[in-house]
Amino acid sequence: FVVFLWFERRTPEPVMPLDLFKIPNFSLANALGFVAGFAMFGALTFLPQYQQFVQGSSATNSGLLLMPMMIAAMAFSMGGGQIISRTGKYKAFPIIGTVALCAGMFLFATMGLNTSKTTTALFMVVLGAGMGCLMQTTNLIAQNSVELKDIGAATGAATFTRTLGGSLGVSILGALYTHQLTTHMASVEIGRASCRERV
């Protein structure tokens, strides 16, 4: 990443002009896209495992059980696009999307062994609504923040930051997931060993 930034600063026609990040709206849109990618790819990676290992779903069904999130994301993205195209205003969507995304992540943090599939689906709808409000709106904000000659670079940068957020989301959440899993399994194994000794 450091080498990439070094080259981009010294190349006459960079793929991603770093001067664009001096524009406040452009930087904000990319930051929101990063968070949205973090949440989306993290959820898509680890929710099916929760549904398989905790809720007892099959591998196929765990994929199908993601539909509430994806349908909500699609519906809010399309609905938001229609409203923006008719009114020309989009300021409310990043705010609503950020609130819904944070609420969805908080709700997922409350899930446990006894969380039902219906409750999980409702939590997914909240997260999907946040993603739907943010995904295309952040692209639109990034494009509207720059000059016409930089629209392609702005779109590429927005996609790059969202993908970067997804990559980090999977890796960071994966590290947390593995740590919690191994810690819990070790404590369970210690408990079983102490029970055997008592017997």
Side-chain angles (χ1 to χ4, degrees):
F1 187 67
V2 171
V3 172
F4 170 76
L5 294 178
W6 187 84
F7 272 103
E8 291 298 291
R9 289 182 67 86
R10 284 157 180 77
T11 304
E13 295 183 5
V15 174
M16 189 170 69
L18 298 180
D19 288 342
L20 296 180
F21 288 93
K22 294 178 181 177
I23 303 169
N25 284 349
F26 181 82
S27 296
L28 178 62
N30 278 276
L32 291 175
F34 178 90
V35 173
F38 189 102
M40 182 180 78
F41 286 102
L44 290 175
T45 302
F46 296 106
L47 273 174
Q49 293 188 33
Y50 171 81
Q51 290 164 332
Q52 288 178 59
F53 303 148
V54 178
Q55 294 181 335
S57 301
S58 67
T60 304
N61 285 340
S62 66
L64 293 173
L65 288 170
L66 291 174
M67 285 182 68
M69 181 172 65
M70 303 315 295
I71 290 172
M74 181 181 66
F76 275 83
S77 180
M78 291 175 63
Q82 289 293 322
I83 293 170
I84 291 168
S85 64
R86 290 175 185 173
T87 64
K89 298 178 180 179
Y90 51 77
K91 186 177 180 180
F93 290 98
I95 298 170
I96 295 169
T98 303
V99 170
L101 196 72
C102 291
M105 296 302 284
F106 172 77
L107 291 171
F108 282 137
T110 65
M111 289 165 53
L113 293 173
N114 299 318
T115 305
S116 67
K117 291 180 182 179
T118 304
T119 304
T120 305
L122 292 174
F123 291 173
M124 285 187 202
V125 169
V126 176
L127 185 69
M131 291 191 311
C133 288
L134 285 175
M135 285 296 182
Q136 296 306 317
T137 312
T138 52
N139 266 345
L140 184 62
I141 294 171
Q143 291 168 348
N144 286 346
S145 301
V146 301
E147 297 178 22
L148 187 62
K149 65 184 180 65
D150 291 323
I151 284 182
T155 306
T159 304
F160 173 74
T161 52
R162 186 166 59 240
T163 306
L164 184 64
S167 300
L168 289 176
V170 171
S171 59
I172 292 171
L173 293 174
L176 291 171
Y177 171 76
T178 305
H179 174 72
Q180 290 293 329
L181 184 65
T182 52
T183 303
H184 181 70
M185 289 177 69
S187 64
V188 169
E189 195 59 38
I190 291 169
R192 286 180 179 170
S194 63
C195 286
R196 289 193 199 103
E197 287 176 6
R198 289 174 190 169
V199 172

